[in-house]
Amino acid sequence: MSKISIGKAAELLGVAESTLRRWEREGKIQSERTKNGHRRYDVATLLGLRAGERKTIGYACISNSEQTANLDRQIMVLEAYCNNQGWLVEIIRDLGSGINYRKRGLVRLIKMICSEKVERLVLTNKDRLVRFGAELIFTICEIFGTEIVIINHCSESTEEEDLDRDILEIIKIFTARLYGSRSKKNQKIVEKLQEAANQIN
């Protein structure tokens, strides 16, 4: 069987060498020693460990495509934090409003959690998941044994700013639904909603 050094083993698994040493102390993995005392790891065992291990998922989300710089910052923070913890992280990038529960990335994340493929979920901020109802997703995580790690427990914006943004999102959704209707009544509602949105801005 092929044996590799601790450096190559760490690279194969995407973790720090210190993480491999810790896993060895915990009995999660074993190594052989050369005559000079250097660790050697079995490649087949490492590949099996990587295939069977539950993942650390970092979730990053922005509400519109104009916030690309914000998304990049979130990803940078998530990767730096996880690397510092010795976790191999997979980033799920998402796009959609905080009150959209059908975002592609969010749906994929929930499916992974319910399939027991996620060991921990890492967020820069709790509101990155959804604006309302994050506790429900956290309960799903608890049921399926997924740890929640929130890097920044402080809100990135004020309560008033969050409320304004939520109201704008709600107005946008209802405006889009009503806009295609030929009903004069609905058209008047659209105009009123647009006026309200302009006042908030």
Side-chain angles (χ1 to χ4, degrees):
M1 293 185 181
S2 178
K3 308 286 184 180
I4 58 176
S5 67
I6 188 171
K8 290 183 178 179
E11 184 178 351
L12 178 64
L13 293 178
V15 299
E17 292 183 17
S18 59
T19 300
L20 276 179
R21 295 190 187 95
R22 175 168 56 82
W23 285 353
E24 193 170 336
R25 289 194 302 270
E26 294 171 351
K28 188 175 182 179
I29 193 171
Q30 294 180 342
S31 69
E32 296 179 4
R33 297 298 180 108
T34 65
K35 291 180 180 180
N36 296 326
H38 299 299
R39 288 177 170 86
R40 290 293 181 266
Y41 295 88
D42 177 59
V43 172
T45 301
L46 294 174
L47 292 175
L49 179 66
R50 186 173 69 174
E53 190 175 63
R54 299 176 75 195
K55 297 180 178 181
T56 293
I57 299 294
Y59 180 80
C61 182
I62 52 176
S63 58
N64 61 69
S65 56
E66 296 177 358
Q67 298 177 328
T68 304
N70 188 312
L71 182 66
D72 291 339
R73 283 195 301 273
Q74 289 181 56
I75 293 171
M76 182 176 65
V77 171
L78 290 168
E79 289 180 339
Y81 182 87
C82 291
N83 288 337
N84 189 51
Q85 302 297 320
W87 301 333
L88 176 61
V89 63
E90 176 183 330
I91 302 294
I92 292 181
R93 299 166 172 82
D94 215 353
L95 175 65
S97 75
I99 58 175
N100 181 358
Y101 293 83
R102 296 292 302 173
K103 295 191 289 285
R104 183 179 299 177
L106 181 61
V107 171
R108 179 187 166 212
L109 172 64
I110 293 173
K111 286 181 178 178
M112 289 178 70
I113 293 170
C114 294
S115 299
E116 299 185 40
K117 294 180 179 178
V118 183
E119 180 177 0
R120 66 181 61 85
L121 171 62
V122 186
L123 307 166
T124 57
N125 186 279
K126 172 182 157 184
D127 291 343
R128 290 302 171 191
L129 276 175
V130 286
R131 186 71 61 192
F132 307 111
E135 288 74 15
L136 176 58
I137 298 177
F138 292 164
T139 299
I140 294 173
C141 288
E142 183 179 351
I143 292 171
F144 290 97
T146 298
E147 177 188 3
I148 302 292
V149 179
I150 301 174
I151 298 173
N152 179 18
H153 286 273
C154 299
S155 177
E156 297 177 349
S157 55
T158 67
E159 186 175 347
E160 290 78 10
E161 289 172 339
D162 286 342
L163 180 60
D164 288 349
R165 186 163 54 248
D166 293 338
I167 292 173
L168 285 172
E169 291 291 347
I170 293 170
I171 290 174
K172 188 188 300 181
I173 290 170
F174 278 98
T175 300
R177 289 179 180 175
L178 294 171
Y179 193 75
S181 172
R182 295 181 181 179
S183 166
K184 290 183 178 179
K185 180 180 179 181
N186 283 348
Q187 290 296 330
K188 289 181 179 180
I189 294 174
V190 169
E191 291 173 4
K192 293 291 185 182
L193 289 173
Q194 289 174 338
E195 288 176 9
N198 291 334
Q199 291 176 2
I200 292 175
N201 286 329

